[in-house]
Amino acid sequence: MTQETSAKAIIVFDIDGVVRDVSGSYRRAIADTVESFTDSAYRPTPLDIDQLKSEGVWNNDWEASQELIYRYFANQGQTREQLQLDYDAIVSFFQSRYRGPDPNNLTGYICDEPLLLQSSYLEQLTQAGIAWGFFSGATRTSANYVLEKRLGLQSPVLIAMEDAPGKPDPTGLFATVDKLENKLEQAPTILYVGDTVADMYTVQKARNLDASRTWIGVGVLPPHVQETAARAEAYRQTLRAAGAAIVLNNVQELTPREIQELVTRPS
């Protein structure tokens, strides 16, 4: 039986930390890259990376790697001007770890990412009359690998790194919504589901630029912060402080019923 919600909604999902666990892939590649470019003097911990990303502007993992390298050497008394890091070399090294040495044959850390949702969950949303798509800072190749090859989705609506400025700029979120809105008869509530401060800031900026829609940020705790209750709670509070209306342990907790409650909740 088709389960219809009375309030129409669009859900846009981030991918990393929401659809797939990247603690052993993207984050491992960040650590590898920083370690290599600091001559093995510094390997950032998961907490180091979280603290950087909590600043809300380091959604791009290549730029995050470069920033951690800069900050390490700054603590050693060197200026950024002295270092003159080669950004292209940082990107190339990172990709060699994440994708593997052959860009046309993915063999790197990307191949071992655990999935955090199943395609059957997305089908439940469709049956409930909820439109959904993806806006991610991942490259299109990486995003399509998980969405199409791993989850088996057929040409899902996706705005990837190549298609829009990085978060928290909301341009990509707007573009995703534009692609989805023609599936609905009325201007809906928009939910953006993400696992970082930058994701929640993106919702805030979208709200400031477009008051004609209702924008709701939904936070998800990435698996690596759920290893201890204290760390999970600290991360939960960080997302709430950045504007998350709710924070879930797993994206599939965002059921049609929960969505209905969020959509109809007094602002």
Side-chain angles (χ1 to χ4, degrees):
M1 180 181 296
T2 299
Q3 179 188 3
E4 292 289 348
T5 58
S6 59
K8 297 296 184 182
I10 282 176
I11 300 186
V12 180
F13 298 98
D14 182 29
I15 293 177
D16 302 333
V18 175
V19 176
R20 61 182 172 191
D21 180 0
V22 296
S23 57
S25 56
Y26 269 128
R27 286 168 177 265
R28 184 180 175 189
I30 290 174
D32 286 357
T33 303
V34 175
E35 184 175 48
S36 176
F37 281 81
T38 59
D39 297 323
S40 299
Y42 170 52
R43 183 178 181 86
T45 67
L47 186 57
D48 291 338
I49 297 170
D50 282 343
Q51 287 175 337
L52 180 75
K53 286 184 172 286
S54 73
E55 296 174 13
V57 294
W58 304 108
N59 192 67
N60 182 311
D61 288 336
W62 302 335
E63 294 176 358
S65 299
Q66 178 177 252
E67 182 64 17
L68 287 168
I69 297 165
Y70 271 132
R71 292 188 186 187
Y72 167 77
F73 284 112
N75 288 334
Q76 311 306 310
Q78 297 188 51
T79 67
R80 294 177 184 239
E81 291 71 22
Q82 288 174 313
L83 288 173
Q84 295 184 327
L85 294 176
D86 183 341
Y87 181 70
D88 289 341
I90 290 171
V91 172
S92 179
F93 183 91
F94 182 104
Q95 293 295 78
S96 74
R97 293 297 191 268
Y98 180 68
R99 290 189 183 184
D102 180 359
N104 299 314
N105 181 29
L106 300 179
T107 57
Y109 300 156
I110 188 175
C111 298
D112 301 320
E113 295 168 330
L115 295 176
L116 301 175
L117 64 73
Q118 302 301 318
S119 57
S120 57
Y121 164 71
L122 298 171
E123 180 58 32
Q124 289 174 13
L125 299 182
T126 299
Q127 291 177 359
I130 298 165
W132 49 268
F134 303 90
F135 167 43
S136 172
T139 64
R140 181 162 286 274
T141 296
S142 173
N144 277 333
Y145 179 82
V146 65
L147 298 180
E148 297 185 355
K149 184 170 183 179
R150 300 284 307 282
L151 283 170
L153 304 180
Q154 301 297 315
S155 301
V157 170
L158 166 66
I159 297 296
M161 176 192 285
E162 298 90 337
D163 306 318
K167 294 177 277 189
D169 187 308
T171 302
L173 180 57
F174 289 146
T176 312
V177 171
D178 287 344
K179 288 176 175 288
L180 292 168
E181 236 182 357
N182 59 14
K183 298 183 179 183
L184 299 176
E185 298 176 357
Q186 63 194 57
T189 298
I190 314 297
L191 288 76
Y192 185 48
V193 186
D195 70 317
T196 66
V197 168
D199 295 326
M200 299 305 107
Y201 285 175
T202 301
V203 176
Q204 289 189 29
K205 289 179 178 292
R207 187 182 298 125
N208 291 338
L209 290 170
D210 179 7
S212 68
R213 302 179 178 103
T214 300
W215 301 88
I216 299 174
V218 176
V220 175
L221 297 180
H224 73 275
V225 306
Q226 298 188 49
E227 294 172 0
T228 68
R231 191 166 176 208
E233 182 57 27
Y235 201 96
R236 186 185 306 274
Q237 293 305 318
T238 295
L239 291 178
R240 282 195 171 277
I246 57 170
V247 180
L248 308 173
N249 293 329
N250 177 270
V251 62
Q252 295 184 145
E253 295 173 11
L254 190 63
T255 62
R257 180 183 296 274
E258 182 68 31
I259 293 162
Q260 174 72 4
E261 291 179 1
L262 282 170
V263 168
T264 57
R265 178 186 298 176
S267 58

